[in-house]
Amino acid sequence: MNLRSITVLTVCLAAGLNAQTSAMTGYSRERARDERQIEQRFRAIPTANEEKRQHRFFTAEPHPAGSERNHELALYIADLWKQQGLEDVRIHRYDVLTSLPRSIVVEMVAPSAYRASLREDAYAADPDTNNPAIRGGWLSMSASGEVTAEVVYAHSGNPADYDLLRRHGISVKGKIVLVRYSNPYSYRGFKALTAQREGAAGLLIYSDPAEDGYKRGKVFPDGPWGPESHIQRGAITYDFLVPGDPLTPGWASVDGARRIPVEQAVSVPKIMAVAMSWHDAKPLLEHLDGPIAPASWQGGLPLQYRLGGNNVRVHLKVDMDTRPMPNYVVEGRIRGSELPEEWILLGNHRDGWEFGAVDPSSGTASMVELTRALGQMKAQGFQPKRTLIVASWDGEEVGLTGSTEWGEEFAEELKKKLVAYLNVDWSVSGPNFHPSAVGSLAPLLVELSRGIPAPSGKSLYDEWRKSAAAARVEAKDPRPVSDDNLVETHIGSGSDFTVFLNYLCRPTMELEFDGPYGVYHSAYDNFFWMNHFGDPGYRYHTLMSQVWGTLALRLADAEILPFDFGAYGRDISAFASVLAGKPQARGRIDFQPVQKEIAEFRSAGSDLTGAAMRALAKGPLDARLAERVNRNIMQVESNWANPNGIPGRPWFKHALYAARYTYGHLELPGLTEAIEKRDFIEAKRQAEILAGALARNAALLRETRAMLP
Ligand SMILES: [Zn+2]
């Protein structure tokens, strides 16, 4: 594949940290000088002390969606933003289906008695672990009910696992299925749907030490991995079918909105499910009889994992409080001076399982420190050219709910005005930069990372390349790290960008620093963990505020929006090549027409990038011309929208991006799923839709190129 060659034009020429002479994509030399100063002033404001102070506040108490504490935090953020000088600060309320646990019982009744505590141990080293407000093990959106039945070990709970059980003559119908979180990873909601389809009566999901516990390294409070009693809470909502409030699929759950009966809500599970620690799963696993599980199913506990199905019986009782509860989305903005009707949106969810120190409060701290810096600059007279909007989402953990309702409420405006959405779910679980973005935004991030210093004293770019290279060695990924593949452009789902990308078809990016993190969604994801393992010193929190804000400013002030459609075309071509290479596709689908349109789009994209650079090299662009050019650039992402959505999931409109039910990334979703189902009539239709969108966009880019001198 010849995937290189284009970004050479667009990536700024070799630049060190202080390379004042390097090109800035989307800017003339004059404006680039000003912009560099603005960004440097901005980056000088965030401090590690403030990041830590805010982080302590957000992590002081458990704050899941629907809790009073999470409402208090919404009020706190609204007040803070007003004090910081943000404009139009508002709180939006959405009454959305939410579930909190009333009581949950998991007890083995045969062959011996054991009642699962479903609690996490307290440690003297960390007083937060003693907080009486910590809830036990539960899964949001579980059905309520009661059953006593035999237990079957079903490995990761993916469809292939049940096939293996069937080959051993084991049915899970009416039984309770015990599964691990990941091996390989799949979203817990997919495990629930799979168990429900298999006719199971209940699902227990536990964290095996092979995945996030002592088999990986030292455990809490001595290390970053999950201890014996840690529980990964979470939701099992089928939000891969349609996210947001299950009772208002595809429209906003504002006051007076139509709501469907819960029985008709496709995203509400019909199976009972509970999250457990390995401490509570071990007695069940120890007693299971039946065939020995295959080697790949053996976990990290010192016992022989067996398939079970006969002798271990469990009494499972789940009582959930499930009803519409308020979610609160906080919104604030800094109005643009020249183009107030073009928006750059920054968002982070606020709700967390228990203290949520990494997920999401690290991101919340980075966000309010970013807004403090912007507010301070505004007080000194600075105004961005375009409008910056910041949002604190709610209910992300339940079903991407707050962002989805807000996106649905303001859909028509967002489709016209939203230049890009920049998501930070958690900002830090370690030092390794791991951003993802639509292909057209990836080069911007690479360019910008060269000019931002990282804690090591090197540039963010240098640290990023180093950690990316190490990650590839670990993952046995043979691709050498290059500027063309540093940013993850296989996006998937699982956070608040989903409504903006998949429903509204707006460009999105997600930023994150990662590291060893075995306490995800447990009570140990707390302030102590962050200060000892995740980010002692809060340097990466600070760096996140700096990167996130710099990106927002760079987009807000650009003369020509710095999207790179040549790079996008290169990615799309790679997506199509991977698909064409699948055994199901070979000889059945002609990829020639699609690849021809991709090549057209790609070359039109790089022509536009080259023309924009040449035009800006001559000096600032006429404002009216720039506005027309930018209108067209903003239209490109909208043109990927298929109004009917992808087959079976009409809410997901984007022709290039979606997510699998497992949350795994999924490119060219309509075409890919049709080919995987061997529905070649549908595949042909999907290929035509894709080719049509590509042709429209190639023509649009050519037309835009022609506007430039
Ligand atoms: Zn999160």
Side-chain angles (χ1 to χ4, degrees), residues 349 359-360 396-397 425-426 521:
H349 75 90
D359 182 10
E396 186 272 350
E397 296 289 3
D425 186 306
W426 68 66
H521 288 187

Side-chain angles (χ1 to χ4, degrees), residues 104 106 118 136-139 181 188 203-207 231-234 273-277 280:
I104 294 174
V106 179
L118 302 174
W138 63 293
L139 291 169
Y181 257 108
R188 65 187 89 71
L203 175 68
L204 306 173
I205 313 180
Y206 83 98
S207 302
I231 301 168
Q232 185 192 131
R233 295 161 189 78
V274 176
M276 291 166 71
S277 65
D280 278 339

Side-chain angles (χ1 to χ4, degrees), residues 119-123 129 207-209 212-215 217-232 276-280 301 517-520 522-525 529 533:
R119 307 296 305 188
E120 294 169 297
D121 295 336
Y123 294 93
T129 57
S207 302
D208 195 279
D212 60 3
Y214 63 78
K215 286 284 177 184
K218 280 192 178 173
V219 302
F220 187 93
D222 303 313
W225 296 100
E228 179 168 353
S229 68
H230 85 284
I231 301 168
Q232 185 192 131
M276 291 166 71
S277 65
W278 69 252
H279 174 88
D280 278 339
L301 293 171
Y517 175 40
V519 298
Y520 173 66
S522 80
Y524 308 116
D525 181 356
W529 189 94
F533 314 114

Side-chain angles (χ1 to χ4, degrees), residues 159-239:
D161 298 325
Y162 292 94
D163 292 341
L164 187 137
L165 287 170
R166 257 186 290 278
R167 289 201 292 278
H168 281 89
I170 297 173
S171 158
V172 301
K173 218 172 196 74
K175 296 185 179 163
I176 294 171
V177 178
L178 175 66
V179 306
R180 294 151 65 158
Y181 257 108
S182 45
N183 182 38
Y185 170 82
S186 62
Y187 166 54
R188 65 187 89 71
F190 176 64
K191 298 179 195 293
L193 177 64
T194 309
Q196 178 184 313
R197 284 175 169 169
E198 294 285 343
L203 175 68
L204 306 173
I205 313 180
Y206 83 98
S207 302
D208 195 279
E211 285 136 28
D212 60 3
Y214 63 78
K215 286 284 177 184
R216 304 296 302 276
K218 280 192 178 173
V219 302
F220 187 93
D222 303 313
W225 296 100
E228 179 168 353
S229 68
H230 85 284
I231 301 168
Q232 185 192 131
R233 295 161 189 78
I236 56 167
T237 316
Y238 302 161
D239 56 5

